[in-house]
Amino acid sequence: MRVLLTGGAGYIGSHTAIALLARGHRVVVLDDLVNASEVALERAARIAGAEIPLVVGDAADVDLVRSVLREHRIDAVIHFAGLKAVGESVAEPLRYYGVNLGTAIGTLQAMAAEGVERFVFSSSATVYEQPGPLLREDAPVGIALENPYGRTKAMIESIVTDAAAADGRLQAALLRYFNPVGAHESGDIGEDPKGIPNNLMPYIAQVAAGERERLRVFGDDYDTPDGTGVRDYIHVVDLAEGHVAALEALAPGVLTVNLGTGQGATVLEVLRAFERAVGRELPFEVVDRRPGDAAVSTADPSRAHEVLGWRARRTLDDAVRDAWRWQSRNPRGYRG
Ligand code: NAD
Ligand code: UDP
């Protein structure tokens, strides 16, 4: 298939481009580069040994998306474009609603106008109203969530569902990612957060690289094995392969699937895994809980296996090793 990746220059999109090309699909990226670098795509193209044309522009611009769909004779769209910083979404809700809803609606409108029927959406475990262990896809999803970012994801899921109800030709997948981590095993592409990382893994990577003094562990009094928060960390290359499987399994209607491993790890277990990869201890201190954080969030990944024939194959140690290879080879990310 010829696949358009909106937001495809970003962390998950660039890895997905490689996975698609490895399966013989063709890839075009539309990205406004607000949180990405062209260098990521140049490197992804080199790794894949194929071209990845980049159109720099806004995925909310219906005319632009239409022209890309037409010009490249696109069969399917994977919609990664959007803003993803939870804290920033609390401070700038209008920007988050504008970009996240605007790009989803604009892309869907362009697809309808051009007769493109396949749509895969980057949703998130954050849509679940009640986080917890082994979440199933039929657990309640709400817009009564903690933050505007999560609400945009739940709203877009509803928008896609309504669009599919109105147009029986639409074939959509809502992929609920758990915690994507790691990097391509080449060490050439990976996560490149701007400023101070919000997420655990890139933060530890910067501590390991000596760029941050110590990890702050947000609370050790949760009801978990060591008191620190539990998450389901999924290697970004497994996640990328999940997109390929979802694309190839599309059928009319909406398919909703968790992409996670089903395994939980605590903050301290992630830190220990990183220490093993780096070969030395890393400094940390325990501070107060971060407001809005759940004790536990892990996926029941069985539907993905049943419906997509996909399951995560890589371990947390694999992810940490690959994240460290990327971080140590590219201490300034794509800037340097
Ligand atoms: P990312 O920021 O690296 O990628 C998003 C891309 O979208 C960036 O390249 C950015 O430049 C682009 N973009 C933003 N606004 C745009 C616009 N108006 N038009 C075109 N492009 C635009 O983030 P990521 O981690 O690769 O996440 C990809 C998707 O997955 C996002 O929708 C995110 O919300 C979702 N997601 C991410 C995580 C995670 O932890 N990384 C978890 C769950 C869901
Ligand atoms: N966390 C932490 N220190 C940090 C960043 C995160 O202790 O600097 C914890 C956080 O409380 C959670 C886990 O690490 O238990 C994963 O957090 P992240 O922000 O990466 O993902 P999310 O909270 O979105 O699942």
Side-chain angles (χ1 to χ4, degrees):
M1 280 184 248
R2 283 178 295 266
V3 189
L4 173 63
L5 310 187
T6 69
Y11 172 46
I12 301 168
S14 54
H15 290 82
T16 303
I18 293 171
L20 287 164
L21 290 163
R23 283 277 296 177
H25 298 291
R26 307 266 294 265
V27 169
V28 177
V29 167
L30 171 63
D31 197 304
D32 67 0
L33 301 179
V34 69
N35 195 38
S37 162
E38 290 181 51
V39 176
L41 282 185
E42 288 162 15
R43 293 188 184 180
R46 200 177 62 219
I47 290 166
E51 280 186 31
I52 307 179
L54 167 66
V55 179
V56 178
D58 184 356
D61 179 340
V62 179
D63 291 336
L64 174 65
V65 180
R66 284 187 67 169
S67 72
V68 176
L69 296 176
R70 253 196 327 266
E71 193 179 318
H72 293 274
R73 294 183 293 125
I74 294 295
D75 303 300
V77 177
I78 306 183
H79 182 63
F80 297 103
L83 304 175
K84 64 165 183 176
V86 172
E88 196 178 68
S89 80
V90 176
E92 300 177 60
L94 299 181
R95 182 165 160 244
Y96 269 67
Y97 286 114
V99 171
N100 289 6
L101 300 184
T103 54
I105 295 170
T107 300
L108 285 163
Q109 286 175 330
M111 288 172 57
E114 298 298 330
V116 178
E117 292 162 1
R118 296 183 183 88
F119 184 76
V120 175
F121 173 59
S122 301
S123 190
S124 167
T126 189
V127 300
Y128 290 114
E129 248 169 32
Q130 283 284 224
L134 299 175
L135 290 159
R136 283 164 45 110
E137 289 85 350
D138 55 7
V141 164
I143 61 162
L145 297 164
E146 288 284 343
N147 57 75
Y149 168 74
R151 280 193 280 275
T152 67
K153 293 292 178 192
M155 287 176 180
I156 296 165
E157 287 201 358
S158 298
I159 290 168
V160 174
T161 305
D162 290 343
D167 180 352
R169 289 167 304 182
L170 190 59
Q171 306 182 22
L174 307 175
L175 304 183
R176 293 182 182 155
Y177 310 161
F178 280 70
N179 289 58
V181 291
H184 190 267
E185 63 172 11
S186 62
D188 286 343
I189 64 166
E191 189 170 10
D192 183 19
K194 293 201 169 118
I196 301 172
N198 296 306
N199 296 112
L200 179 63
M201 191 78 109
Y203 201 100
I204 299 178
Q206 293 193 2
V207 172
E211 284 175 41
R212 315 245 163 236
E213 208 176 320
R214 63 173 71 89
L215 172 68
R216 291 179 310 140
V217 175
F218 296 145
D220 67 352
D221 55 354
Y222 287 107
D223 184 12
T224 61
D226 61 21
T228 65
V230 170
R231 295 291 183 275
D232 183 334
Y233 296 94
I234 174 170
H235 195 298
V236 66
V237 176
D238 279 329
L239 187 69
E241 290 169 0
H243 289 73
V244 180
L247 187 72
E248 294 175 355
L250 285 174
V254 180
L255 172 63
T256 303
V257 274
N258 289 334
L259 293 181
T261 66
Q263 304 289 321
T266 68
V267 175
L268 292 177
E269 285 168 347
V270 176
L271 183 69
R272 300 297 172 231
F274 227 100
E275 290 178 337
R276 283 194 293 279
V278 178
R280 62 190 149 84
E281 288 191 3
L282 297 173
F284 73 94
E285 64 176 326
V286 177
V287 300
D288 286 346
R289 291 181 179 191
R290 185 168 65 179
D293 270 1
V296 179
S297 169
T298 63
D300 176 340
S302 46
R303 185 185 285 178
H305 189 238
E306 281 155 25
V307 181
L308 309 182
W310 169 93
R311 62 157 59 111
R313 295 187 287 122
R314 294 163 179 86
T315 63
L316 180 62
D317 279 307
D318 293 334
V320 165
R321 183 202 59 218
D322 294 337
W324 178 235
R325 188 180 294 121
W326 152 253
Q327 173 74 36
S328 46
R329 289 193 189 171
N330 302 273
R332 288 169 37 81
Y334 294 115
R335 289 170 296 281

